[in-house]
Amino acid sequence: MTIHRESKGTILVSTIFLIILNSAVAYFFEENEILRKIVIAFSVVFAFIILQFFRVPVRTTPKNPKHIIAPADGKVVVIEEVVETEYFKEPRRQVSIFMSPINVHINFNPISGIVSYFKYHPGKYLVAWHPKSSTDNERTTVVVKHANGTEVLFRQIAGALARRICWYVKEGQSVEQGSEFGFIKFGSRIDIYLPLDAKILVNLEDRPVGGETVIAELA
């Protein structure tokens, strides 16, 4: 299993914590075999959760200029028409994907093109499914302009557990559909803003696969 580069600090801190915990239990509770076994079992489970969270899956992107690919694993929690106020300042079709701590948290470019806009916003850490998380939480906004002129906006949003958003794109950069553009540690969400005439191909509660599932088709 390949582990993501963003895992280094977390794995180091977690390893030190588990070593100290197990050493302390072995020293202070030397005769309590049941407690020592419980702590060992907890350590194994905890280490597994951390490793699986940072795993790098193998994904095959069905590249198509008319398709919008899911930017993340998770569950579709919003499909609605809204007014996007930061960049377009006009109605758009919003699709939001919530990532729980057990999901892969790599973020994939939903479309190929040139990054025409990027901005990082510091903010709060409301739960990722909160309606105001899109505007109040720590977040990034990325707009990619396809060769045909269509622009798609997608937004990384930190959740209650997430305290760090990572991104690997900048304005003027060329990106490829299905390639990695960022990472959000632990619970989080991604919003995608599409043209009103885009055909949405997912439903609420669906669980798309980042980098593979086609969530919409452009007109």
Side-chain angles (χ1 to χ4, degrees):
M1 178 174 63
T2 305
I3 302 300
H4 198 274
R5 63 183 181 274
E6 297 295 346
S7 67
K8 292 180 180 177
T10 302
I11 289 179
L12 176 61
V13 172
S14 300
T15 300
I16 293 172
F17 165 73
L18 293 176
I19 291 174
I20 293 174
L21 175 63
N22 281 270
S23 298
V25 170
Y27 180 80
F28 292 107
F29 302 94
E30 183 179 0
E31 298 180 359
N32 194 333
E33 184 178 355
I34 294 178
L35 178 61
R36 287 190 286 111
K37 287 183 177 179
I38 290 174
V39 172
I40 290 173
F42 164 80
S43 300
V44 171
V45 172
F46 183 80
F48 175 78
I49 290 173
I50 294 296
L51 289 175
Q52 70 85 33
F53 173 82
F54 286 104
R55 68 194 184 278
V56 178
V58 176
R59 298 286 163 85
T60 302
T61 303
K63 295 178 183 178
N64 186 315
K66 296 188 69 174
H67 287 170
I68 302 298
I69 303 299
D73 290 21
K75 181 171 70 173
V76 178
V77 293
V78 173
I79 300 176
E80 63 182 5
E81 182 179 326
V82 299
V83 175
E84 198 290 308
T85 58
E86 179 180 351
Y87 182 80
F88 294 117
K89 304 186 189 312
E90 62 184 21
R92 292 278 150 165
R93 190 80 65 193
Q94 176 184 340
V95 178
S96 298
I97 298 172
F98 170 71
M99 293 170 277
S100 75
I102 64 172
N103 288 127
V104 170
H105 275 53
I106 297 171
N107 303 145
F108 304 89
N109 283 296
I111 192 171
S112 297
I114 303 296
V115 178
S116 54
Y117 177 83
F118 174 85
K119 188 171 183 178
Y120 167 75
H121 303 268
K124 301 177 182 178
Y125 298 97
L126 302 172
V127 290
W129 58 84
H130 193 288
K132 288 191 174 182
S133 65
S134 295
T135 56
D136 291 0
N137 278 19
E138 178 192 11
R139 62 199 183 279
T140 65
T141 301
V142 183
V143 180
V144 172
K145 186 174 185 178
H146 193 266
N148 63 14
T150 300
E151 289 186 308
V152 173
L153 183 154
F154 38 102
R155 186 171 285 140
Q156 296 172 293
I157 301 170
L161 294 178
R163 289 295 187 274
R164 186 183 175 201
I165 293 176
C166 308
W167 61 88
Y168 318 124
V169 295
K170 59 184 179 180
E171 288 187 11
Q173 179 180 339
S174 176
V175 298
E176 185 177 356
Q177 190 175 49
S179 62
E180 184 179 337
F181 80 85
F183 192 98
I184 315 178
K185 292 189 176 182
F186 303 102
S188 47
R189 162 176 162 170
I190 287 195
D191 293 344
I192 309 101
Y193 293 85
L194 304 166
L196 294 180
D197 58 359
K199 182 180 179 182
I200 308 300
L201 302 177
V202 291
N203 299 303
L204 289 173
E205 306 297 321
D206 280 1
R207 296 184 178 274
V209 176
E212 290 190 348
T213 303
V214 180
I215 62 171
E217 184 175 275
L218 300 175

